[in-house]
Every structure is written in C-alpha cells, then in structure tokens.
Amino acid sequence: MGTVTIGVSIAVPEPHGSLLQERRAGFGDAAAHGIPTHVTLLPPTEVDAADLPAVDAHLTGVAEAGRPFPMRLSGTGTFRPLSPVVYVRVVEGAESCAWLQQRVRDSSGPMARELLFPYHPHVTVAHGIDEAAMDRAFAELAGFEAEWPCTGFALYEQGPDAVWRKLREYTFGGPLVPPQALRGVGRSPVS
C-alpha cells in the first residue's frame, strides 16, 4: 500500500483563512496556495497507508475528549534566525492547542513522534522567502486580528503535487472534557 504524508490542524475559518493565504502568496511564498491556512497540531508525518483506519480511530477519540474553545489571533511573530518563518500569533487558545497536539502525538497512538522544536501554536504567513519579504510580512500583518470558536480539527494528506487536502473533519465531542482525559495533564484545552 505504501506510505502517505499526513498532518493534523485547526483551520483558520473564512474570511480570515483566504485572506492570510492570499497575503502569504503576495509575500512570494510559493507554497501558499498548496497549504490551507491553519494552526498545526501534527506537522507533516509519514505513515503507512494501511494505518489510516487506526489514525482515524485515534483522532476520533481525541476529538471526543475535547470541547470547543475560543481562538484569537493577533499580531505577528517570527522564529528567525532559528527558522525562516513569520507568523500570526495565537493569543487565545494556545493552551488548548498544546493540549490537543499532545494527545494527537500520544506515545500510545499511531502518530507518536517527537518534534524538532518545542510546540508553539501559530499561523505561518511567510516561510523560506527572502529577508525583505519576511520583514514586509511581519510589518504588514502586525495589526491582524481574528477570533472564532474552535469546534474541532481536521486530518490532511499531502498529495504528490505538494498540495494539502482535507481527508476528514473531527468535531469536539461535548461541552466538557471528561476528567479521565485530564489525568496527568497540567491544564485542559478549555480551562
């Protein structure tokens, strides 16, 4: 069956998602139109295609343990010089994103993996482009604001054309996170 490259993320809803994607393209980021605007929960990860049913079952369980939470984006940040990225900051919902990504990558699940950098939820608006364009992205989106209720996340697959396509959406299961899902965790995704 082979392998597939998957990712899990929270989509930035319209009209904000398209606006940020167009701005990213306008800054000269060639990958902009192949990557829906998002907050990453699982970075690109190669899995056996035969494991997709286990991935789906695992993500269904993660979603059932979660509940909606407010997301708010405001202003810009950068990972330079460590990584050539300019991003829009997640100023509300970051703890919930961290809680979710830990469960998505849980060591007992089919997507267990270590990250190259500590998890920092953000929305990339420029990646790997020239410094002047990175500076422009940082300055021009410094006043950007968006907020919405996050009600779930999605599984994506990267095609051979490098375009990311949604495979399935996962909606949070209820108004409260079950106490058993919080054992050993500092904070819930909604506290």
Side-chain angles (χ1 to χ4, degrees), residues 39-68:
V39 176
T40 299
L41 298 176
L42 176 76
T45 301
E46 193 171 287
V47 298
D48 286 329
D51 291 339
L52 285 175
V55 166
D56 179 58
H58 176 70
L59 292 176
T60 297
V62 171
E64 287 173 355
R67 69 173 175 133

PDB file of all heavy atoms in Angstrom, residues 39-68:
ATOM      1  N   VAL A  39      -3.521  26.231  12.075  1.00  0.00           N
ATOM      2  CA  VAL A  39      -2.666  26.080  13.252  1.00  0.00           C
ATOM      3  C   VAL A  39      -2.346  24.591  13.330  1.00  0.00           C
ATOM      4  O   VAL A  39      -3.247  23.750  13.436  1.00  0.00           O
ATOM      5  CB  VAL A  39      -3.375  26.546  14.545  1.00  0.00           C
ATOM      6  CG1 VAL A  39      -2.501  26.274  15.766  1.00  0.00           C
ATOM      7  CG2 VAL A  39      -3.760  28.018  14.463  1.00  0.00           C
ATOM      8  N   THR A  40      -1.082  24.248  13.268  1.00  0.00           N
ATOM      9  CA  THR A  40      -0.655  22.850  13.244  1.00  0.00           C
ATOM     10  C   THR A  40      -0.845  22.168  14.600  1.00  0.00           C
ATOM     11  O   THR A  40      -0.504  22.715  15.637  1.00  0.00           O
ATOM     12  CB  THR A  40       0.837  22.761  12.845  1.00  0.00           C
ATOM     13  OG1 THR A  40       0.998  23.313  11.540  1.00  0.00           O
ATOM     14  CG2 THR A  40       1.336  21.329  12.874  1.00  0.00           C
ATOM     15  N   LEU A  41      -1.385  20.941  14.546  1.00  0.00           N
ATOM     16  CA  LEU A  41      -1.418  20.054  15.713  1.00  0.00           C
ATOM     17  C   LEU A  41      -0.457  18.885  15.520  1.00  0.00           C
ATOM     18  O   LEU A  41       0.090  18.361  16.483  1.00  0.00           O
ATOM     19  CB  LEU A  41      -2.835  19.537  15.961  1.00  0.00           C
ATOM     20  CG  LEU A  41      -3.896  20.592  16.269  1.00  0.00           C
ATOM     21  CD1 LEU A  41      -5.272  19.943  16.396  1.00  0.00           C
ATOM     22  CD2 LEU A  41      -3.549  21.383  17.515  1.00  0.00           C
ATOM     23  N   LEU A  42      -0.266  18.457  14.266  1.00  0.00           N
ATOM     24  CA  LEU A  42       0.707  17.419  13.914  1.00  0.00           C
ATOM     25  C   LEU A  42       1.377  17.858  12.622  1.00  0.00           C
ATOM     26  O   LEU A  42       0.709  18.001  11.602  1.00  0.00           O
ATOM     27  CB  LEU A  42       0.024  16.060  13.695  1.00  0.00           C
ATOM     28  CG  LEU A  42       0.953  14.938  13.229  1.00  0.00           C
ATOM     29  CD1 LEU A  42       1.800  14.415  14.395  1.00  0.00           C
ATOM     30  CD2 LEU A  42       0.162  13.783  12.607  1.00  0.00           C
ATOM     31  N   PRO A  43       2.697  18.111  12.650  1.00  0.00           N
ATOM     32  CA  PRO A  43       3.380  18.515  11.420  1.00  0.00           C
ATOM     33  C   PRO A  43       3.424  17.361  10.420  1.00  0.00           C
ATOM     34  O   PRO A  43       3.067  16.223  10.768  1.00  0.00           O
ATOM     35  CB  PRO A  43       4.773  18.894  11.912  1.00  0.00           C
ATOM     36  CG  PRO A  43       4.962  18.161  13.184  1.00  0.00           C
ATOM     37  CD  PRO A  43       3.591  18.002  13.794  1.00  0.00           C
ATOM     38  N   PRO A  44       3.839  17.628   9.184  1.00  0.00           N
ATOM     39  CA  PRO A  44       3.894  16.563   8.184  1.00  0.00           C
ATOM     40  C   PRO A  44       4.559  15.307   8.742  1.00  0.00           C
ATOM     41  O   PRO A  44       5.676  15.357   9.256  1.00  0.00           O
ATOM     42  CB  PRO A  44       4.716  17.192   7.055  1.00  0.00           C
ATOM     43  CG  PRO A  44       4.437  18.657   7.184  1.00  0.00           C
ATOM     44  CD  PRO A  44       4.322  18.901   8.664  1.00  0.00           C
ATOM     45  N   THR A  45       3.824  14.204   8.646  1.00  0.00           N
ATOM     46  CA  THR A  45       4.252  12.933   9.233  1.00  0.00           C
ATOM     47  C   THR A  45       3.946  11.811   8.252  1.00  0.00           C
ATOM     48  O   THR A  45       2.825  11.695   7.775  1.00  0.00           O
ATOM     49  CB  THR A  45       3.502  12.684  10.564  1.00  0.00           C
ATOM     50  OG1 THR A  45       3.792  13.769  11.463  1.00  0.00           O
ATOM     51  CG2 THR A  45       3.889  11.372  11.200  1.00  0.00           C
ATOM     52  N   GLU A  46       4.937  10.998   7.970  1.00  0.00           N
ATOM     53  CA  GLU A  46       4.747   9.875   7.058  1.00  0.00           C
ATOM     54  C   GLU A  46       4.241   8.667   7.848  1.00  0.00           C
ATOM     55  O   GLU A  46       4.797   8.313   8.892  1.00  0.00           O
ATOM     56  CB  GLU A  46       6.072   9.541   6.372  1.00  0.00           C
ATOM     57  CG  GLU A  46       5.915   8.609   5.195  1.00  0.00           C
ATOM     58  CD  GLU A  46       7.201   8.471   4.410  1.00  0.00           C
ATOM     59  OE1 GLU A  46       7.564   9.432   3.709  1.00  0.00           O
ATOM     60  OE2 GLU A  46       7.828   7.393   4.509  1.00  0.00           O
ATOM     61  N   VAL A  47       3.161   8.069   7.350  1.00  0.00           N
ATOM     62  CA  VAL A  47       2.595   6.863   7.964  1.00  0.00           C
ATOM     63  C   VAL A  47       2.291   5.853   6.863  1.00  0.00           C
ATOM     64  O   VAL A  47       2.134   6.214   5.697  1.00  0.00           O
ATOM     65  CB  VAL A  47       1.301   7.157   8.775  1.00  0.00           C
ATOM     66  CG1 VAL A  47       1.571   8.109   9.930  1.00  0.00           C
ATOM     67  CG2 VAL A  47       0.197   7.679   7.892  1.00  0.00           C
ATOM     68  N   ASP A  48       2.187   4.598   7.254  1.00  0.00           N
ATOM     69  CA  ASP A  48       1.742   3.579   6.301  1.00  0.00           C
ATOM     70  C   ASP A  48       0.279   3.828   5.961  1.00  0.00           C
ATOM     71  O   ASP A  48      -0.532   4.085   6.864  1.00  0.00           O
ATOM     72  CB  ASP A  48       1.889   2.177   6.889  1.00  0.00           C
ATOM     73  CG  ASP A  48       3.333   1.707   6.945  1.00  0.00           C
ATOM     74  OD1 ASP A  48       4.122   2.117   6.064  1.00  0.00           O
ATOM     75  OD2 ASP A  48       3.670   0.955   7.875  1.00  0.00           O
ATOM     76  N   ALA A  49      -0.060   3.746   4.697  1.00  0.00           N
ATOM     77  CA  ALA A  49      -1.449   3.957   4.288  1.00  0.00           C
ATOM     78  C   ALA A  49      -2.378   2.974   4.990  1.00  0.00           C
ATOM     79  O   ALA A  49      -3.519   3.311   5.309  1.00  0.00           O
ATOM     80  CB  ALA A  49      -1.577   3.833   2.767  1.00  0.00           C
ATOM     81  N   ALA A  50      -1.882   1.778   5.281  1.00  0.00           N
ATOM     82  CA  ALA A  50      -2.691   0.774   5.963  1.00  0.00           C
ATOM     83  C   ALA A  50      -3.036   1.197   7.395  1.00  0.00           C
ATOM     84  O   ALA A  50      -3.971   0.663   7.999  1.00  0.00           O
ATOM     85  CB  ALA A  50      -1.955  -0.566   5.991  1.00  0.00           C
ATOM     86  N   ASP A  51      -2.303   2.182   7.947  1.00  0.00           N
ATOM     87  CA  ASP A  51      -2.556   2.658   9.304  1.00  0.00           C
ATOM     88  C   ASP A  51      -3.597   3.767   9.369  1.00  0.00           C
ATOM     89  O   ASP A  51      -3.942   4.223  10.468  1.00  0.00           O
ATOM     90  CB  ASP A  51      -1.256   3.149   9.954  1.00  0.00           C
ATOM     91  CG  ASP A  51      -0.292   2.017  10.252  1.00  0.00           C
ATOM     92  OD1 ASP A  51      -0.744   0.852  10.335  1.00  0.00           O
ATOM     93  OD2 ASP A  51       0.914   2.288  10.392  1.00  0.00           O
ATOM     94  N   LEU A  52      -4.112   4.215   8.231  1.00  0.00           N
ATOM     95  CA  LEU A  52      -5.085   5.317   8.241  1.00  0.00           C
ATOM     96  C   LEU A  52      -6.344   5.001   9.062  1.00  0.00           C
ATOM     97  O   LEU A  52      -6.843   5.893   9.758  1.00  0.00           O
ATOM     98  CB  LEU A  52      -5.438   5.759   6.824  1.00  0.00           C
ATOM     99  CG  LEU A  52      -4.353   6.588   6.124  1.00  0.00           C
ATOM    100  CD1 LEU A  52      -4.742   6.884   4.689  1.00  0.00           C
ATOM    101  CD2 LEU A  52      -4.052   7.870   6.888  1.00  0.00           C
ATOM    102  N   PRO A  53      -6.883   3.767   9.048  1.00  0.00           N
ATOM    103  CA  PRO A  53      -8.023   3.490   9.924  1.00  0.00           C
ATOM    104  C   PRO A  53      -7.679   3.675  11.415  1.00  0.00           C
ATOM    105  O   PRO A  53      -8.493   4.192  12.182  1.00  0.00           O
ATOM    106  CB  PRO A  53      -8.397   2.044   9.609  1.00  0.00           C
ATOM    107  CG  PRO A  53      -7.940   1.859   8.193  1.00  0.00           C
ATOM    108  CD  PRO A  53      -6.647   2.651   8.112  1.00  0.00           C
ATOM    109  N   ALA A  54      -6.469   3.294  11.819  1.00  0.00           N
ATOM    110  CA  ALA A  54      -6.050   3.492  13.212  1.00  0.00           C
ATOM    111  C   ALA A  54      -5.870   4.970  13.513  1.00  0.00           C
ATOM    112  O   ALA A  54      -6.211   5.442  14.604  1.00  0.00           O
ATOM    113  CB  ALA A  54      -4.750   2.729  13.489  1.00  0.00           C
ATOM    114  N   VAL A  55      -5.358   5.735  12.554  1.00  0.00           N
ATOM    115  CA  VAL A  55      -5.228   7.186  12.700  1.00  0.00           C
ATOM    116  C   VAL A  55      -6.605   7.802  12.896  1.00  0.00           C
ATOM    117  O   VAL A  55      -6.823   8.620  13.799  1.00  0.00           O
ATOM    118  CB  VAL A  55      -4.517   7.802  11.470  1.00  0.00           C
ATOM    119  CG1 VAL A  55      -4.673   9.318  11.431  1.00  0.00           C
ATOM    120  CG2 VAL A  55      -3.042   7.400  11.453  1.00  0.00           C
ATOM    121  N   ASP A  56      -7.561   7.391  12.068  1.00  0.00           N
ATOM    122  CA  ASP A  56      -8.923   7.911  12.166  1.00  0.00           C
ATOM    123  C   ASP A  56      -9.540   7.587  13.534  1.00  0.00           C
ATOM    124  O   ASP A  56     -10.130   8.465  14.174  1.00  0.00           O
ATOM    125  CB  ASP A  56      -9.782   7.327  11.038  1.00  0.00           C
ATOM    126  CG  ASP A  56     -11.209   7.811  11.093  1.00  0.00           C
ATOM    127  OD1 ASP A  56     -11.436   9.040  11.036  1.00  0.00           O
ATOM    128  OD2 ASP A  56     -12.117   6.959  11.212  1.00  0.00           O
ATOM    129  N   ALA A  57      -9.373   6.363  13.993  1.00  0.00           N
ATOM    130  CA  ALA A  57      -9.931   5.974  15.294  1.00  0.00           C
ATOM    131  C   ALA A  57      -9.284   6.787  16.421  1.00  0.00           C
ATOM    132  O   ALA A  57      -9.971   7.247  17.338  1.00  0.00           O
ATOM    133  CB  ALA A  57      -9.734   4.476  15.528  1.00  0.00           C
ATOM    134  N   HIS A  58      -7.982   6.974  16.332  1.00  0.00           N
ATOM    135  CA  HIS A  58      -7.271   7.744  17.351  1.00  0.00           C
ATOM    136  C   HIS A  58      -7.763   9.194  17.374  1.00  0.00           C
ATOM    137  O   HIS A  58      -8.062   9.747  18.438  1.00  0.00           O
ATOM    138  CB  HIS A  58      -5.770   7.694  17.081  1.00  0.00           C
ATOM    139  CG  HIS A  58      -4.961   8.533  18.009  1.00  0.00           C
ATOM    140  ND1 HIS A  58      -4.794   8.226  19.338  1.00  0.00           N
ATOM    141  CD2 HIS A  58      -4.276   9.684  17.797  1.00  0.00           C
ATOM    142  CE1 HIS A  58      -4.034   9.151  19.910  1.00  0.00           C
ATOM    143  NE2 HIS A  58      -3.710  10.053  18.987  1.00  0.00           N
ATOM    144  N   LEU A  59      -7.877   9.814  16.210  1.00  0.00           N
ATOM    145  CA  LEU A  59      -8.322  11.213  16.144  1.00  0.00           C
ATOM    146  C   LEU A  59      -9.776  11.357  16.584  1.00  0.00           C
ATOM    147  O   LEU A  59     -10.142  12.363  17.196  1.00  0.00           O
ATOM    148  CB  LEU A  59      -8.114  11.771  14.738  1.00  0.00           C
ATOM    149  CG  LEU A  59      -6.651  11.929  14.320  1.00  0.00           C
ATOM    150  CD1 LEU A  59      -6.554  12.406  12.872  1.00  0.00           C
ATOM    151  CD2 LEU A  59      -5.899  12.865  15.264  1.00  0.00           C
ATOM    152  N   THR A  60     -10.592  10.351  16.306  1.00  0.00           N
ATOM    153  CA  THR A  60     -11.975  10.371  16.783  1.00  0.00           C
ATOM    154  C   THR A  60     -11.987  10.417  18.304  1.00  0.00           C
ATOM    155  O   THR A  60     -12.743  11.193  18.911  1.00  0.00           O
ATOM    156  CB  THR A  60     -12.745   9.140  16.256  1.00  0.00           C
ATOM    157  OG1 THR A  60     -12.793   9.228  14.824  1.00  0.00           O
ATOM    158  CG2 THR A  60     -14.156   9.084  16.810  1.00  0.00           C
ATOM    159  N   GLY A  61     -11.140   9.633  18.945  1.00  0.00           N
ATOM    160  CA  GLY A  61     -11.050   9.639  20.399  1.00  0.00           C
ATOM    161  C   GLY A  61     -10.541  10.961  20.953  1.00  0.00           C
ATOM    162  O   GLY A  61     -11.038  11.450  21.971  1.00  0.00           O
ATOM    163  N   VAL A  62      -9.554  11.555  20.274  1.00  0.00           N
ATOM    164  CA  VAL A  62      -9.038  12.858  20.710  1.00  0.00           C
ATOM    165  C   VAL A  62     -10.156  13.895  20.634  1.00  0.00           C
ATOM    166  O   VAL A  62     -10.357  14.684  21.559  1.00  0.00           O
ATOM    167  CB  VAL A  62      -7.826  13.289  19.861  1.00  0.00           C
ATOM    168  CG1 VAL A  62      -7.438  14.738  20.159  1.00  0.00           C
ATOM    169  CG2 VAL A  62      -6.637  12.354  20.095  1.00  0.00           C
ATOM    170  N   ALA A  63     -10.893  13.888  19.536  1.00  0.00           N
ATOM    171  CA  ALA A  63     -11.985  14.857  19.365  1.00  0.00           C
ATOM    172  C   ALA A  63     -13.086  14.648  20.401  1.00  0.00           C
ATOM    173  O   ALA A  63     -13.624  15.619  20.951  1.00  0.00           O
ATOM    174  CB  ALA A  63     -12.555  14.753  17.953  1.00  0.00           C
ATOM    175  N   GLU A  64     -13.413  13.393  20.695  1.00  0.00           N
ATOM    176  CA  GLU A  64     -14.459  13.113  21.686  1.00  0.00           C
ATOM    177  C   GLU A  64     -14.078  13.619  23.071  1.00  0.00           C
ATOM    178  O   GLU A  64     -14.945  13.981  23.865  1.00  0.00           O
ATOM    179  CB  GLU A  64     -14.756  11.611  21.734  1.00  0.00           C
ATOM    180  CG  GLU A  64     -15.531  11.141  20.520  1.00  0.00           C
ATOM    181  CD  GLU A  64     -15.683   9.627  20.460  1.00  0.00           C
ATOM    182  OE1 GLU A  64     -15.106   8.917  21.318  1.00  0.00           O
ATOM    183  OE2 GLU A  64     -16.379   9.153  19.543  1.00  0.00           O
ATOM    184  N   ALA A  65     -12.777  13.688  23.361  1.00  0.00           N
ATOM    185  CA  ALA A  65     -12.310  14.160  24.669  1.00  0.00           C
ATOM    186  C   ALA A  65     -12.234  15.682  24.752  1.00  0.00           C
ATOM    187  O   ALA A  65     -12.057  16.226  25.826  1.00  0.00           O
ATOM    188  CB  ALA A  65     -10.932  13.567  24.981  1.00  0.00           C
ATOM    189  N   GLY A  66     -12.356  16.351  23.616  1.00  0.00           N
ATOM    190  CA  GLY A  66     -12.230  17.803  23.596  1.00  0.00           C
ATOM    191  C   GLY A  66     -13.561  18.510  23.628  1.00  0.00           C
ATOM    192  O   GLY A  66     -14.623  17.897  23.561  1.00  0.00           O
ATOM    193  N   ARG A  67     -13.504  19.815  23.779  1.00  0.00           N
ATOM    194  CA  ARG A  67     -14.701  20.639  23.682  1.00  0.00           C
ATOM    195  C   ARG A  67     -14.319  21.969  23.041  1.00  0.00           C
ATOM    196  O   ARG A  67     -13.148  22.342  23.022  1.00  0.00           O
ATOM    197  CB  ARG A  67     -15.351  20.845  25.044  1.00  0.00           C
ATOM    198  CG  ARG A  67     -14.569  21.700  25.988  1.00  0.00           C
ATOM    199  CD  ARG A  67     -15.383  21.991  27.238  1.00  0.00           C
ATOM    200  NE  ARG A  67     -14.583  22.718  28.190  1.00  0.00           N
ATOM    201  CZ  ARG A  67     -15.002  23.801  28.833  1.00  0.00           C
ATOM    202  NH1 ARG A  67     -16.200  24.272  28.621  1.00  0.00           N
ATOM    203  NH2 ARG A  67     -14.217  24.407  29.685  1.00  0.00           N
ATOM    204  N   PRO A  68     -15.283  22.687  22.497  1.00  0.00           N
ATOM    205  CA  PRO A  68     -14.975  23.963  21.835  1.00  0.00           C
ATOM    206  C   PRO A  68     -14.261  24.938  22.775  1.00  0.00           C
ATOM    207  O   PRO A  68     -14.463  24.916  23.988  1.00  0.00           O
ATOM    208  CB  PRO A  68     -16.357  24.499  21.452  1.00  0.00           C
ATOM    209  CG  PRO A  68     -17.213  23.275  21.340  1.00  0.00           C
ATOM    210  CD  PRO A  68     -16.710  22.351  22.407  1.00  0.00           C
TER     211      PRO A  68
END
